[in-house]
């Protein structure tokens, strides 16, 4: 399956990338207690992450179309102040038994996604750079992992939020909320570094409403969020469930973007 996003001009976005290859300022501390207003609590979660500074991250992206279902997993760390991070993304094994793709290294930066071991004709020692503000999904789906900052900033557009209950996640007490995020509203309220990508997604997705489940700790920090996206591809609907787990707050995050001469400038195969 080849999942490709098309720009408004009709040209195929160069970054069908991983998906195509395989098939605000600070505010007061968020109150995640059951008695607080659910909508306000969830919308303030991105600010709590900025105060936390950094965290480790795990990602999972499940895609389903027709009778095919695949899962892409990632692991890394993110700096919510500098808005950059790194992930190692693992593609699913080939059902035919063929040798699997090497892990893809992704560097996340404001307005850009860098990938190494992209495959499909890209030299092994080169990086691919993608302008996320030019992608119709704003890199919510294309890279095979939702940028942790974008995953959190989407919650600024939260509406119809309900309190589900208190749970425990990896030994940490959390409060579970469920609602729908409005992409356009989230883009308008997002931090400047993320606004362009979310604005692109708001224009590119067929539906503005993105259902979510969010889990916040007692400090209002987002510990887990699951977004459900859907879009049309070659006449078929592709359902995507993207999950981001945040933990290890305060962990060091070092990101060195590749120099221009290490970025592949040739044609990228879908």
């Amino acid at each position: 399956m080849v999942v490709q996003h098309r720009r408004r001009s009709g040209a195929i976005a160069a970054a069908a990338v991983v998906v195509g290859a395989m098939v605000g300022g600070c505010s007061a501390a968020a109150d995640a207690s059951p008695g607080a207003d659910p909508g306000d609590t969830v919308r303030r979660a991105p600010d709590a992450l900025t105060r936390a500074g950094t965290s480790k991250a795990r990602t999972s992206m499940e895609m389903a179309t027709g009778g095919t279902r695949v899962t892409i997993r990632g692991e890394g760390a993110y700096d919510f102040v500098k808005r950059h991070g790194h992930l190692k993304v693992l593609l699913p094994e080939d059902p035919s038994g063929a040798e699997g793709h090497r892990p893809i290294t992704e560097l996340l930066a404001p307005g850009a996604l860098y990938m190494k071991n992209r495959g499909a004709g890209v030299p092994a020692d080169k990086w691919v750079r993608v302008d996320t503000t030019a992608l119709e999904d704003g890199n919510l789906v294309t890279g095979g992992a939702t940028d942790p900052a974008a995953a959190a900033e989407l919650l600024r557009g939260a509406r119809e939020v309900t309190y589900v209950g208190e749970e425990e996640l990896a030994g940490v007490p959390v409060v579970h909320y469920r609602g729908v995020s409005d992409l356009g509203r989230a883009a308008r309220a997002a931090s400047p570094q993320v606004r362009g990508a979310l604005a692109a997604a708001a224009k590119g997705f067929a539906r503005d409403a993105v259902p979510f489940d969010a889990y916040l700790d007692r400090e209002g920090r987002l510990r887990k969020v699951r977004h459900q996206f859907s879009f049309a591809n070659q006449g078929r609907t592709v359902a995507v469930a993207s999950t981001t787990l945040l933990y290890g707050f305060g962990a060091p995050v070092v990101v060195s973007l590749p120099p221009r001469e290490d970025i592949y400038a040739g044609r990228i195969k879908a």
Side-chain angles (χ1 to χ4, degrees), residues 119-194:
V122 179
D125 62 340
K126 294 294 185 180
W127 292 82
V128 172
R129 182 190 185 279
V130 178
D131 180 357
T132 55
T133 65
L135 295 175
E136 285 203 346
D137 69 312
N139 195 34
L140 296 177
V141 174
T142 292
T146 302
D147 182 318
E153 293 281 342
L154 263 178
L155 297 177
R156 293 193 188 276
R159 55 183 174 81
E160 302 175 21
V161 183
T162 59
Y163 165 76
V164 179
E166 296 187 70
E167 302 177 20
E168 191 171 282
L169 183 64
V172 176
V174 295
V175 182
H176 180 187
Y177 297 97
R178 180 171 293 145
V180 175
S181 184
D182 184 294
L183 278 168
R185 178 178 177 180
R188 291 189 294 273
S191 300
Q193 302 95 325
V194 185

Side-chain angles (χ1 to χ4, degrees), residues 61-64 140-141 227-231 238-242:
M61 186 167 285
E62 303 169 12
M63 297 182 178
L140 296 177
V141 174
H227 295 291
Q228 298 180 60
F229 306 106
S230 64
F231 56 90
V238 181
V240 180
S242 177

Side-chain angles (χ1 to χ4, degrees), residues 20-252:
M22 22 102 20
V23 221
C26 294
S27 62
D31 180 6
S33 63
D37 178 82
D40 287 344
T41 296
V42 169
R43 287 188 289 271
R44 288 198 298 265
D47 295 325
L49 291 178
T50 301
R51 288 192 298 274
T54 64
S55 79
K56 295 181 180 180
R58 290 196 186 101
T59 65
S60 173
M61 186 167 285
E62 303 169 12
M63 297 182 178
T65 180
T68 303
R69 182 180 296 273
V70 296
T71 301
I72 307 171
R73 302 189 187 279
E75 187 167 357
Y78 200 87
D79 188 321
F80 292 95
V81 177
K82 297 179 179 179
R83 303 292 180 177
H84 66 201
H86 57 84
L87 292 171
K88 184 155 289 187
V89 176
L90 302 176
L91 299 182
E93 294 183 2
D94 191 313
S96 68
E99 184 177 352
H101 195 292
R102 289 184 299 167
I104 297 176
T105 299
E106 295 190 357
L107 302 181
L108 308 165
L113 166 67
Y114 298 82
M115 292 176 291
K116 196 170 187 179
N117 295 335
R118 160 64 176 90
V122 179
D125 62 340
K126 294 294 185 180
W127 292 82
V128 172
R129 182 190 185 279
V130 178
D131 180 357
T132 55
T133 65
L135 295 175
E136 285 203 346
D137 69 312
N139 195 34
L140 296 177
V141 174
T142 292
T146 302
D147 182 318
E153 293 281 342
L154 263 178
L155 297 177
R156 293 193 188 276
R159 55 183 174 81
E160 302 175 21
V161 183
T162 59
Y163 165 76
V164 179
E166 296 187 70
E167 302 177 20
E168 191 171 282
L169 183 64
V172 176
V174 295
V175 182
H176 180 187
Y177 297 97
R178 180 171 293 145
V180 175
S181 184
D182 184 294
L183 278 168
R185 178 178 177 180
R188 291 189 294 273
S191 300
Q193 302 95 325
V194 185
R195 191 172 297 149
L198 290 186
K203 294 178 182 178
F205 276 105
R207 297 179 58 191
D208 282 344
V210 178
F212 70 83
D213 283 86
Y215 303 77
L216 278 59
D217 64 20
R218 289 302 184 181
E219 295 180 50
R221 299 175 302 192
L222 185 65
R223 290 282 184 158
K224 175 182 176 181
V225 62
R226 179 181 175 89
H227 295 291
Q228 298 180 60
F229 306 106
S230 64
F231 56 90
N233 179 66
Q234 299 179 353
R236 293 179 296 181
T237 298
V238 181
V240 180
S242 177
T243 302
T244 302
L245 289 168
L246 303 175
Y247 63 102
F249 292 101

